Amino acid sequence: ALAAADITISSASISWNTYGQAGFNLRYIHGTDTVLVENVKSPYALTNLDDADDYYVQVQVTCDEDNWSETLHFVTKQAPATIPYANDFEAKSGWAFINGTFGNVWAYGEAAHNGEGTHALYISNNGGAANAYTTGSSAAVYATKLFQFEDGVYNFKYDWKAYGESNYDLLCVALVPDSIELAATATGTFSLPTGWTKLHEANKLNLSSTWNTESFDLIARSEERFSRNAETD
């Protein structure tokens, strides 16, 4: 009954069945780091966590230190980005991956980069070791970052590279309302869902084996202001 509750951008409450007065150790894995916390009680508060990141937790009875529980996986919530926002991807910096259980998924690492650094976000079929994908397996997966906009004009500028085919294996960059719950899905050809705002002129980004820089201006207006202007214009 290992469970995570009250998950925030930097903390989570971990609970489990205690079976009387037994003592417990807890360990959690974050990236390549494993942290051991000895002699803890349920529930136990994990704090000082990174936002929008994966954590894997196990517990054990202190009198049976050869055995650990099954692994609990949870993801911390995203913190809104500070605007103006810039990221060279030399750190994952709170980007969340929605990969489901598919084989071709978003990863962060050193297998691809634009030449101005050593890291990037990219699609991988082997946990990030290579920027490669397996053909014949269709999926839509997402790398996301949370933004909160005031009324105004914003410029989005980013580097991208994607080849693929004319109707498959493509990249799309868009603003998606945070009321929409994204989920990785099996799909064929991709079309932009209703309510999404595409952040590039072309319908999709692909058929390029070299790095490109995209620049796109967006006017942000609140729904209240938009409605008021519609009534008076």
Side-chain angles (χ1 to χ4, degrees), residues 144-224:
T144 72
K145 184 72 176 176
L146 182 63
F147 293 90
Q148 292 179 332
F149 298 105
E150 303 291 339
D151 288 357
V153 179
Y154 297 87
N155 175 256
F156 292 83
K157 188 176 181 180
Y158 53 91
D159 293 345
W160 69 274
K161 181 175 71 170
Y163 197 75
E165 304 174 53
S166 57
N167 293 319
Y168 296 92
D169 313 332
L170 57 94
L171 176 70
C172 181
V173 181
L175 288 180
V176 182
D178 66 355
S179 58
I180 295 176
E181 185 175 350
L182 294 174
T185 57
T187 184
T189 55
F190 177 81
S191 59
L192 195 73
T194 301
W196 294 28
T197 303
K198 179 165 56 69
L199 299 178
H200 39 82
E201 296 295 342
N203 184 48
K204 52 186 176 288
L205 303 177
N206 68 350
L207 301 180
S208 178
S209 59
T210 59
W211 284 94
N212 305 269
T213 299
E214 191 80 13
S215 183
F216 189 90
D217 287 334
L218 173 78
I219 300 175
R221 293 198 298 179
S222 66
E223 291 184 5
E224 179 183 358

Side-chain angles (χ1 to χ4, degrees), residues 77-184:
K77 292 186 177 180
Q78 280 191 308
T82 300
I83 299 176
Y85 173 79
N87 187 5
D88 59 7
F89 290 111
E90 290 308 290
K92 190 176 175 218
S93 302
W95 281 76
F97 298 152
I98 302 172
N99 287 326
T101 58
F102 294 100
N104 300 320
V105 298
W106 281 102
Y108 167 76
E110 299 180 80
H113 55 84
N114 65 357
E116 297 179 2
T118 60
H119 291 70
L121 305 186
Y122 49 85
I123 293 295
S124 177
N125 59 3
N126 59 359
N131 173 211
Y133 64 94
T134 303
T135 59
S137 176
S138 298
V141 293
Y142 304 94
T144 72
K145 184 72 176 176
L146 182 63
F147 293 90
Q148 292 179 332
F149 298 105
E150 303 291 339
D151 288 357
V153 179
Y154 297 87
N155 175 256
F156 292 83
K157 188 176 181 180
Y158 53 91
D159 293 345
W160 69 274
K161 181 175 71 170
Y163 197 75
E165 304 174 53
S166 57
N167 293 319
Y168 296 92
D169 313 332
L170 57 94
L171 176 70
C172 181
V173 181
L175 288 180
V176 182
D178 66 355
S179 58
I180 295 176
E181 185 175 350
L182 294 174

Side-chain angles (χ1 to χ4, degrees), residues 5-12 49-55 74-80 94-96 144-146:
D6 300 325
I7 300 172
T8 72
I9 62 175
S10 61
S11 65
L49 309 180
D50 292 339
D51 75 302
D53 222 341
D54 294 273
Y55 287 84
F74 71 91
V75 181
T76 48
K77 292 186 177 180
Q78 280 191 308
W95 281 76
T144 72
K145 184 72 176 176
L146 182 63

